[in-house]
């Protein structure tokens, strides 16, 4: 046999000995419809079907949905969902005002306090009924706001699991605002169409392609989501009641149209076939709670100060060093000799007023000491750093401190390119008021991009 054929045979025989890049599927259900009782049965059926398949999913439950299950005495649904992972999906979901609507005009701190005021009771009800603190949160529709990150940390919720276009890094999980985000997953968002079984094979091929695309990255996550109500209704419960900011009284709420029993069975069958296919390909189904164990949340080891300075002098964005990642905020703390810790980005944007093209060493030292004091007191980065009665913006200060050559350097906020610039499309949701735009939220999101960095598998 030719040597080339022998080598090929050896590769075939030894292939199972080489570890494959892990593929994790996070399957999540926005469990939200508290108007149509059939949606309760759908959640129960999904939980039980997945039990039979040996798969745990994440059920993100709306606060009002949980209370409605209690009022309807659906303890069977609560018990079934409790065998899976419980996440949080807002207190009332589509009853106005939606989160982005009330957060749009609020700053970082005021918005976080308002989000917590409105949402804490829903989290408490989930904790009371399901016996756990929710593992994750995801916004209703596209009603996202960066202020929620601060509030979610206070509420003990460590993962942001949803889909949207406001922020994303390389179509894989990332750290942002102190939370592990699964968001803007691109090609790694795989979702079979429940209405057309003939298209399932095409979707299964897309799943295989996504799995193969993760191999060069060392593995990663595929995200799949549904709503239990989709399996029993032909239209969304909130679309028929709250479109374009409508706010009818409860007595006037309409129930969505139901699927036929045959249509529902087809939908359940499609999901089952998808799950079976993913398992047959060696993918592992994980929950939001599992993700915290899979992605390293420990502080990255200290970097050489010279390496940090070289990076920050040219651009303010995250840095990847092997399996370790560092946000722009992490790197700035290293430059300031502050122990590794999480700090928020600045609460506002400031422009430099410092007129000179140079700065003395004592002047820069005083400005640095003032920045260190601010960060230690407020646990966030300052918008500006004072030099006498003049200021340097945070980006300009960072570049100047990193260069350390006596000259003033202008910042290059490369981290902000991971945030959407579309204030209309990013919030396009039928429940928002007509022509809703939220440029203020995207601006605040860009300020928090100092905290953004890819997440690394352990």
């Amino acid at each position: 046999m030719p040597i080339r054929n022998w080598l090929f045979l050896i590769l075939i025989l030894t292939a199972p000995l080489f570890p494959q890049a892990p593929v994790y599927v996070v399957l999540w259900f926005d469990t939200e419809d508290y108007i149509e009782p059939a949606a309760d049965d759908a959640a129960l059926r999904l939980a039980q079907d997945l039990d039979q398949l040996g798969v745990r999913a994440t059920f993100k439950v709306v606060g009002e949905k949980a209370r409605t299950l209690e009022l309807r005495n659906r303890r069977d649904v609560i018990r079934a969902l409790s065998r899976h992972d419980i996440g949080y999906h807002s207190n009332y979901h589509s009853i106005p005002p939606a989160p982005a609507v009330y957060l749009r005009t609020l700053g970082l701190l005021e918005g976080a306090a308002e989000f917590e005021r409105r949402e804490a009771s829903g989290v408490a009800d989930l904790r009371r009924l399901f016996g756990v603190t929710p593992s994750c949160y995801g916004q209703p529709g596209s009603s996202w706001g960066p202020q929620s990150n601060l509030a979610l940390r206070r509420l003990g919720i460590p993962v942001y699991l949803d889909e949207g276009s406001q922020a994303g890094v390389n179509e894989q999980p990332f750290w942002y605002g102190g939370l592990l985000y699964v968001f803007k997953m691109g090609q790694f968002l795989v979702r079979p169409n429940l209405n057309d079984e003939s298209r399932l094979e095409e979707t299964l091929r897309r799943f295989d392609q996504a799995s193969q695309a993760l191999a060069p990255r060392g593995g990663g996550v595929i995200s799949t989501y549904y709503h239990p109500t989709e399996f029993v209704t032909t239209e969304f419960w909130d679309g028929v009641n709250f479109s374009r900011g409508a706010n009818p009284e409860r007595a006037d709420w309409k129930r969505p149209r139901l699927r036929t029993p045959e249509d529902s069975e087809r939908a359940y069958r499609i999901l089952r076939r998808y799950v079976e296919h993913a398992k047959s390909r060696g993918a592992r189904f994980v929950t939001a709670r599992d993700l915290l164990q899979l992605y390293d949340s420990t502080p990255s080891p200290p970097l050489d100060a010279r390496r940090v300075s070289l990076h920050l002098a040219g651009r303010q964005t995250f840095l990847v060093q092997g399996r370790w990642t560092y946000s722009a905020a992490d790197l700035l703390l290293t430059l300031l000799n502050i122990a590794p810790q999480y700090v928020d980005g600045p609460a506002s944007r400031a422009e430099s007023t410092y007129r000179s093209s140079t700065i003395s060493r004592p002047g820069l030292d005083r400005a640095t000491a003032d920045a260190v004091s601010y960060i230690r007191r407020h646990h966030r980065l300052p918008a500006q750093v004072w030099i006498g009665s003049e200021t340097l913006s945070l980006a300009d200060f960072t570049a100047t401190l990193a260069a350390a050559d006596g000259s003033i350097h202008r910042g290059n906020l490369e981290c902000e390119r991971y945030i959407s610039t579309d204030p209309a499309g990013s919030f396009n949701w039928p429940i928002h008021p007509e022509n809703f735009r939220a440029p203020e939220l995207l601006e605040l999101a860009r300020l928090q991009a100092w905290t953004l960095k890819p997440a690394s598998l352990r």
Side-chain angles (χ1 to χ4, degrees):
M1 183 182 292
I3 292 177
R4 183 171 55 187
N5 291 352
W6 275 110
L7 291 174
F8 180 75
L9 180 60
I10 290 170
L11 286 172
I12 293 296
L13 293 175
T14 59
L17 301 177
F18 294 94
Q20 295 181 338
V23 175
Y24 302 104
V25 181
V26 57
L27 174 61
W28 46 283
F29 296 91
D30 283 348
T31 311
E32 60 190 43
D33 184 349
Y34 44 83
I35 291 179
E36 175 51 59
D40 303 348
D41 298 314
L44 177 63
R45 168 74 179 270
L46 289 165
Q48 292 174 337
D49 283 359
L50 293 171
D51 288 342
Q52 294 173 4
L53 291 167
V55 166
R56 293 184 73 233
T58 299
F59 286 85
K60 289 161 48 192
V61 185
V62 166
E64 185 67 5
K65 173 68 171 182
R67 293 185 290 268
T68 300
L69 290 173
E70 183 180 34
L71 287 171
R72 291 175 179 159
N73 198 28
R74 294 305 304 265
R75 294 288 175 180
D76 55 339
V77 180
I78 293 172
R79 283 193 300 269
L81 298 188
S82 295
R83 292 194 293 272
H84 295 262
D85 188 25
I86 298 300
Y88 182 58
H89 192 43
S90 82
N91 203 1
Y92 291 99
H93 198 278
S94 297
I95 297 179
V101 176
Y102 68 75
L103 290 174
R104 185 174 65 84
T105 60
L106 302 180
L108 181 68
L109 303 182
E110 186 183 6
E114 180 64 3
F115 183 92
E116 187 174 5
R117 181 184 76 84
R118 290 178 175 273
E119 302 296 337
S121 62
V123 174
D125 283 330
L126 262 62
R127 191 181 293 120
R128 174 176 60 84
L129 290 168
F130 293 98
V132 294
T133 297
S135 63
C136 62
Y137 168 79
Q139 79 282 344
S142 60
S143 205
W144 178 89
Q147 303 98 319
S148 63
N149 295 333
L150 284 74
L152 292 169
R153 298 200 316 264
R154 294 174 192 155
L155 293 167
I157 298 176
V159 177
Y160 203 110
L161 173 61
D162 214 290
E163 184 56 29
S165 63
Q166 288 89 349
V169 180
N170 302 328
E171 301 179 335
Q172 280 295 287
F174 57 99
W175 296 98
Y176 180 62
L179 304 179
L180 178 62
Y181 261 69
V182 181
F183 207 73
K184 199 178 182 182
M185 294 292 283
Q187 66 178 310
F188 302 108
L189 177 69
V190 181
R191 189 171 184 265
N193 188 321
L194 298 180
N195 297 313
D196 189 351
E197 197 163 8
S198 69
R199 296 173 59 185
L200 179 57
E201 291 301 324
E202 175 190 346
T203 305
L204 298 183
R205 285 193 294 272
R206 283 208 308 110
F207 177 89
D208 293 342
Q209 292 166 359
S211 298
Q212 293 162 8
L214 288 173
R217 305 178 181 221
V221 168
I222 292 174
S223 180
T224 300
Y225 76 92
Y226 289 102
H227 309 73
T229 192
E230 287 182 83
F231 292 78
V232 292
T233 65
T234 62
E235 56 188 348
F236 276 101
W237 62 283
D238 51 353
V240 299
N241 289 288
F242 305 108
S243 288
R244 300 304 176 203
N247 189 24
E249 296 299 328
R250 283 182 180 249
D252 298 324
W253 287 355
K254 300 183 178 75
R255 291 168 60 175
R257 289 190 294 267
L258 293 175
R259 289 182 183 268
T260 66
E262 294 76 17
D263 280 349
S264 287
E265 286 304 316
R266 181 195 62 224
Y268 291 121
R269 184 171 62 250
I270 288 172
L271 178 60
R272 186 181 190 93
R273 287 184 58 193
Y274 172 71
V275 171
E276 290 172 340
H277 176 85
K279 292 184 70 175
S280 75
R281 293 299 193 262
R284 176 185 165 194
F285 281 82
V286 296
T287 66
R289 212 172 296 271
D290 295 330
L291 289 175
L292 283 178
Q293 306 305 316
L294 296 172
Y295 283 90
D296 206 335
S297 60
T298 58
S300 300
L303 271 178
D304 176 72
R306 179 179 172 80
R307 179 72 183 92
V308 173
S309 295
L310 186 64
H311 180 80
L312 287 181
R315 53 195 181 129
Q316 294 78 58
T317 190
F318 59 78
L319 176 63
V320 178
Q321 292 287 100
R323 66 179 291 261
W324 303 105
T325 62
Y326 304 81
S327 69
D330 294 335
L331 297 172
L332 180 55
L333 294 188
T334 297
L335 209 59
L336 295 172
N337 290 315
I338 298 177
Q341 58 190 275
Y342 174 77
V343 295
D344 286 310
S348 61
R349 191 179 297 275
E351 300 296 330
S352 296
T353 63
Y354 189 72
R355 291 184 294 274
S356 175
S357 61
T358 61
I359 185 171
S360 68
R361 185 74 244 183
L364 184 59
D365 288 344
R366 286 191 295 271
T368 300
D370 190 43
V372 169
S373 174
Y374 182 98
I375 292 168
R376 286 177 171 161
R377 176 63 179 269
H378 298 291
H379 305 290
R380 69 176 183 274
L381 302 180
Q384 59 195 5
V385 176
W386 290 91
I387 303 172
S389 59
E390 297 177 295
T391 62
L392 283 177
S393 70
L394 178 62
D396 291 351
F397 167 74
T398 299
T400 299
L401 180 64
D405 59 4
S407 298
I408 298 298
H409 291 257
R410 298 306 170 190
N412 174 20
L413 284 168
E414 190 176 300
C415 59
E416 294 188 359
R417 72 184 183 90
Y418 297 94
I419 306 300
S420 170
T421 58
D422 183 359
S426 295
F427 299 92
N428 184 22
W429 183 38
I431 307 305
H432 278 153
E434 195 162 6
N435 300 321
F436 180 74
R437 296 164 52 89
E440 304 90 341
L441 293 180
L442 295 181
E443 167 64 2
L444 195 53
R446 283 187 280 274
L447 295 172
Q448 298 313 302
W450 282 83
T451 72
L452 186 148
K453 60 183 178 180
S456 295
L457 284 168
R458 290 184 185 275

